[in-house]
Amino acid sequence: MKRNKYSAGAVKLALWFMEFRREVQLLAQGRTFDDIKALSDRENIFGASTPARAAMIQSTISARIKSMDSSFYPLFMDSDVATQKLYALTGSFSLDTLFFDFMYEVVREKMIIGTKMLADADIRIFFKNKQEQDATAAKWTEQTLQRLGRSYKTQLYEAGILDNRTRGAERGILKPILDPIFRGWLEEYGYSQVVKALEGIR
């Protein structure tokens, strides 16, 4: 999986699973990315609140899908909703290296050692370490880091990785059971690290 420079862009992004599914459906039907952009601009097919929001959602979802091999389209369409959400999460990981590193270094490690809770302190420690390692991350404010942490927790919740506990400083980790076809696709197309992150294995 390609590694991109660390970015705080996730502060304004979401998993956008329903939008991801809508776009893959259109692509599977033979529409192009240009067709989908035109539909979004003309008909607001993603139900965004403003034209600017619609453009952000469309461009982000398209970039996530383009980062994955198109062979996943029919597999996605034949999958259950839980697996489809993991395809969408993989698209998010493929563009956002910092988000993937959080999943791999924090959530995966907790699954490996059998800890079922993700604490806000774990998130703060992760970001502190990254700020010491990366010049770009070192410039981010505390507010940015807090928003990033909330974004990561929300995306993981929407993908079925965290429980819906919203009060307190901990969230329960829900280890997914990977569909064999999805798992096989990940391994074939260079996402073996995603398999390890989702399954909590070394």
Side-chain angles (χ1 to χ4, degrees), residues 54-122:
M56 176 187 293
I57 293 171
Q58 181 274 320
S59 64
T60 301
I61 295 300
S62 291
R64 290 174 181 175
I65 293 172
K66 287 177 181 178
S67 73
M68 303 161 70
D69 190 272
S70 61
S71 60
F72 89 89
Y73 299 170
L75 306 182
F76 178 94
M77 298 303 299
D78 288 339
S79 297
D80 59 26
V81 171
T83 300
Q84 288 181 342
K85 289 180 178 179
L86 295 179
Y87 276 108
L89 184 64
T90 301
S92 187
F93 286 158
S94 68
L95 287 187
D96 191 336
T97 298
L98 183 63
F99 183 27
F100 173 73
D101 284 356
F102 174 73
M103 180 69 191
Y104 193 84
E105 297 174 16
V106 180
V107 182
R108 166 180 158 271
E109 284 297 323
K110 284 184 167 288
M111 288 192 282
I112 288 172
I113 65 176
T115 302
K116 296 182 179 180
M117 303 302 295
L118 174 70
D120 288 348
D122 299 319

Side-chain angles (χ1 to χ4, degrees), residues 126-146:
F126 170 78
F127 284 136
K128 182 177 184 296
N129 290 338
K130 293 305 176 185
Q131 287 192 298
E132 292 174 353
Q133 299 165 7
D134 184 86
T136 299
K139 299 175 184 177
W140 297 335
T141 66
E142 184 62 28
Q143 182 183 30
T144 295
L145 297 177
Q146 289 176 358

Side-chain angles (χ1 to χ4, degrees), residues 1-2 185-194:
M1 185 168 68
K2 179 183 176 182
W185 183 86
L186 289 173
E187 291 178 335
E188 182 175 355
Y189 286 93
Y191 291 94
S192 59
Q193 296 297 92
V194 173

